[in-house]
Amino acid sequence: TPHGVDLADVARLGAARHAVARSEEDLKARVREGLRGGLHLLEVRTDREENVRHHREVLERAADAVGALG
């Protein structure tokens, strides 16, 4: 959801490292880096329309699975 907040500024307020994951490989590398310690704020930007489609698909599958139980 667009929020208009600059997360780099938020990270600076908490003396955290800030990064934007630009790819799946970059995301994995940034998570590994964060697990080494310290405070990290990792920003992952997504396509809003694709995200909505994905969530609807997951909810539909879940509803079908629950329906199959009864």
Side-chain angles (χ1 to χ4, degrees), residues 53-69:
R53 277 192 296 275
H54 176 71
H55 279 90
R56 286 183 179 149
E57 181 181 312
V58 168
L59 289 173
E60 185 176 310
R61 287 181 181 177
D64 289 346
V66 169
L69 296 174

Side-chain angles (χ1 to χ4, degrees), residues 2-70:
H3 47 68
V5 175
D6 184 338
L7 294 179
D9 290 339
V10 172
R12 276 192 291 280
L13 287 171
R17 289 184 175 180
H18 171 258
V20 178
R22 306 251 181 234
S23 66
E24 184 177 344
E25 294 77 25
D26 190 29
L27 173 63
K28 291 176 184 178
R30 303 281 185 178
V31 168
R32 281 193 297 273
E33 179 184 329
L35 291 173
R36 285 187 233 136
L39 182 59
H40 296 253
L41 193 155
L42 180 55
E43 188 173 347
V44 179
R45 297 178 180 159
T46 61
D47 178 279
R48 190 175 190 180
E49 290 180 19
E50 179 62 29
N51 196 36
V52 168
R53 277 192 296 275
H54 176 71
H55 279 90
R56 286 183 179 149
E57 181 181 312
V58 168
L59 289 173
E60 185 176 310
R61 287 181 181 177
D64 289 346
V66 169
L69 296 174

